[in-house]
Amino acid sequence: MPETLVIIPTYNERENVRSIVDRVLSADSRIYVLVVDDNSPDGTGDMADEMAAADERISVLHRSGKLGLGTAYLEGFAIAAERGYRYVFEFDADGSHPPEKLPEMIDALDSGAGLVIGTRWMPGGRTENWPVQRQILSRGASIYARVLLQSKIRDITAGYRGYRVELLQGFDLTRIKSAGYCFQIEMAWLFERSGIRVSEVPITFVERQEGASKMSSDIIVEAVWRVFAWGLGYRLGAFSRHAGR
């Protein structure tokens, strides 16, 4: 049985998708890749199809348009469960996440973690070629979420992470409503407050070399108001420890 599925959402990532998929597959023989393409106008989906035709470890899910990062991962999680994978990973297509860390993160799941996060903000973790304003935004968002949600996760906004599929199946993921990067916060907090072990592995996060960032003001606003509402609800008892199950 295949063990690990790495989900790579794409939208206009033609310059990056071939090299990043090759690096992911080279990191560990246990890894398979699912490219989730949101009808990229630049032909990313067509390129992914060509790669899948040449390598059985690659598959592609085509979607009708930009439907949000959160829904891309949720659809990928469902496919991982259907195909019998043990672990499923989230991974950016822009080259910012180091595939070479995947074996170490798989080891963390093998050792009992339910969720493992590739972390920038811990000893050994860092960013490379990142503008100062992005560092401030990322650190500030992490601190904001940690304080309001009373979280101990050091990089709760990080998008490089892996889950045990069996644990994902224990939650009602239809209740996950975040569309953008706030999805990362919501999922990590769901695992943490359910008492599931969360491990963090230090990584070097590298700024993309090709293409454009998908970060927008709408994504930031969504995260700000959702985290505030969750934090308030948690203090008022609206969220149980096992909410979402």
Side-chain angles (χ1 to χ4, degrees), residues 144-150 189 224-239:
Y144 175 77
R146 289 183 69 191
V147 170
L148 286 181
L149 303 180
Q150 300 179 26
W189 191 50
V224 169
W225 77 259
R226 282 192 184 277
V227 170
F228 178 81
W230 294 333
L232 181 61
Y234 193 56
R235 285 166 173 76
L236 296 177
F239 289 98

Side-chain angles (χ1 to χ4, degrees), residues 133-183:
Q133 61 269 28
R134 286 295 303 275
Q135 292 200 44
I136 293 173
L137 176 62
S138 179
R139 282 185 178 272
S142 187
I143 293 170
Y144 175 77
R146 289 183 69 191
V147 170
L148 286 181
L149 303 180
Q150 300 179 26
S151 172
K152 295 181 180 179
I153 299 173
R154 286 166 287 194
D155 198 351
I156 195 170
T157 64
Y160 188 10
R161 55 181 64 187
Y163 302 88
R164 286 181 171 271
V165 173
E166 64 179 344
L167 294 179
L168 286 171
Q169 291 180 286
F171 293 104
D172 178 8
L173 297 182
T174 63
R175 299 175 63 177
I176 302 296
K177 301 303 181 184
S178 301
Y181 288 93
C182 188
F183 174 81

Side-chain angles (χ1 to χ4, degrees), residues 8-226:
I8 306 180
T10 57
Y11 184 78
N12 288 347
E13 294 287 359
R14 186 179 179 87
E15 302 97 329
N16 298 310
V17 66
R18 186 178 296 276
S19 63
I20 200 63
V21 169
D22 286 346
R23 287 176 63 196
V24 167
L25 292 178
S26 297
D28 197 297
S29 62
R30 296 171 290 179
I31 291 173
Y32 287 65
V33 166
L34 172 66
V35 176
V36 181
D37 186 68
D38 277 2
N39 198 23
S40 299
D42 72 347
T44 301
D46 293 334
M47 178 175 284
D49 283 337
E50 293 174 9
M51 296 164 60
D55 192 330
E56 65 178 7
R57 293 168 67 195
I58 304 170
S59 57
V60 185
L61 172 64
H62 294 277
R63 306 204 302 169
S64 60
K66 291 188 72 174
L67 303 177
L69 185 72
T71 60
Y73 282 131
L74 290 175
E75 290 187 50
F77 294 165
I79 289 172
E82 290 169 6
R83 296 180 183 175
Y85 286 94
R86 187 179 183 191
Y87 305 137
V88 62
F89 277 77
E90 302 177 13
F91 200 94
D92 285 355
D94 60 10
S96 59
H97 297 158
E100 298 74 21
K101 280 286 186 175
L102 281 166
E104 183 178 350
M105 295 173 75
I106 292 172
D107 287 346
L109 294 173
D110 282 341
S111 297
L115 165 62
V116 59
I117 297 175
T119 300
R120 298 158 290 187
W121 316 127
M122 69 179 293
R126 65 188 185 92
T127 63
E128 186 174 295
N129 301 326
W130 229 21
V132 173
Q133 61 269 28
R134 286 295 303 275
Q135 292 200 44
I136 293 173
L137 176 62
S138 179
R139 282 185 178 272
S142 187
I143 293 170
Y144 175 77
R146 289 183 69 191
V147 170
L148 286 181
L149 303 180
Q150 300 179 26
S151 172
K152 295 181 180 179
I153 299 173
R154 286 166 287 194
D155 198 351
I156 195 170
T157 64
Y160 188 10
R161 55 181 64 187
Y163 302 88
R164 286 181 171 271
V165 173
E166 64 179 344
L167 294 179
L168 286 171
Q169 291 180 286
F171 293 104
D172 178 8
L173 297 182
T174 63
R175 299 175 63 177
I176 302 296
K177 301 303 181 184
S178 301
Y181 288 93
C182 188
F183 174 81
Q184 313 296 7
I185 302 173
E186 187 170 5
M187 287 296 299
W189 191 50
L190 176 61
F191 268 60
E192 183 182 29
R193 76 177 194 271
S194 296
I196 295 171
R197 178 178 155 196
V198 179
S199 294
E200 293 185 85
V201 171
I203 66 164
T204 297
F205 182 97
V206 181
E207 174 69 337
R208 69 161 58 234
Q209 299 298 312
E210 303 287 347
S213 171
K214 308 305 187 296
M215 184 64 69
S216 69
S217 58
D218 289 344
I219 289 172
I220 295 171
V221 169
E222 181 198 26
V224 169
W225 77 259
R226 282 192 184 277

